Amino acid sequence: MPPAFRPEADPRAFRRALGAFATGVTVVTTRGRDGRPVGITANSFASLSLDPPLVLWSPARASRRFGVFVEAEAFAIHVLAADQQAVCDAFVRADPVDMPFLTGPEGLPLIGGCHARFLCRRHAVFDGGDHAILVGRVFEAMRSEAEPLVFHGGRYGSFAPRADRHPGPDAAS
């Protein structure tokens, strides 16, 4: 077994250890104060509650888009499909001005072709250290049959399902 370390003493090793957890990739969108679409790539998305339907994600305080999302009354979380890495990359550093957004309920800017999408109203905001924890109450959701984009160890990939099917962690017991 590899030796343990203290995250405060070795933040790079801590980041690499966190990268061992494979995640889906999301782009979260809303409208800025000026009405223009704003988006950010995030892999900090998680389900929180089925009743009421709540999800969460965590924008970095250092992001120039942080304030827009913390103040937003509504936002859309797009779980990207395996063929949407370019969409992910487009939102990493800036808001792409040429992105062909659809307009959803409450004027939310939506990205087409995604694996799943959750339209949320802000439910709560919590302190999360160098991030905030935004909890959204889902008022509309969709899921396609597209394969998801996966991020692991600093690289993108796609999900390769196993032939033997076992119930997942959300299966009824």
Side-chain angles (χ1 to χ4, degrees), residues 28 44 46 48-49 52-59 61 66-75 77 120-128 131-138:
V28 185
S44 59
L48 182 60
S49 171
L54 301 175
V55 296
L56 63 84
W57 72 286
S58 302
R61 292 183 186 281
F66 177 81
V68 173
F69 283 103
V70 169
E71 296 170 5
E73 294 295 321
F75 50 86
I77 300 172
C120 306
R121 290 186 188 95
R122 185 183 64 222
H123 181 77
V125 179
F126 299 100
D127 177 46
H131 285 63
I133 302 164
L134 274 64
V135 178
R137 185 173 182 137
V138 179

Side-chain angles (χ1 to χ4, degrees), residues 4-104:
F5 61 90
R6 301 222 179 270
E8 297 87 4
D10 195 346
R12 292 178 82 140
F14 181 55
R15 185 176 180 104
R16 283 192 307 273
L18 291 172
F21 182 64
T23 66
V25 180
T26 67
V27 169
V28 185
T29 59
T30 193
R31 295 252 175 222
R33 293 177 197 103
D34 60 3
R36 286 192 289 201
V38 177
I40 190 169
T41 298
N43 69 346
S44 59
F45 169 74
S47 61
L48 182 60
S49 171
L50 293 176
D51 185 19
L54 301 175
V55 296
L56 63 84
W57 72 286
S58 302
R61 292 183 186 281
S63 170
R64 65 176 178 74
R65 294 165 274 189
F66 177 81
V68 173
F69 283 103
V70 169
E71 296 170 5
E73 294 295 321
F75 50 86
I77 300 172
H78 305 82
V79 179
L80 298 184
D83 64 354
Q84 291 185 303
Q85 183 177 337
V87 173
C88 170
D89 293 344
F91 284 96
V92 168
R93 298 210 193 317
D95 296 312
V97 293
D98 59 346
M99 179 66 61
F101 289 106
L102 307 168
T103 301

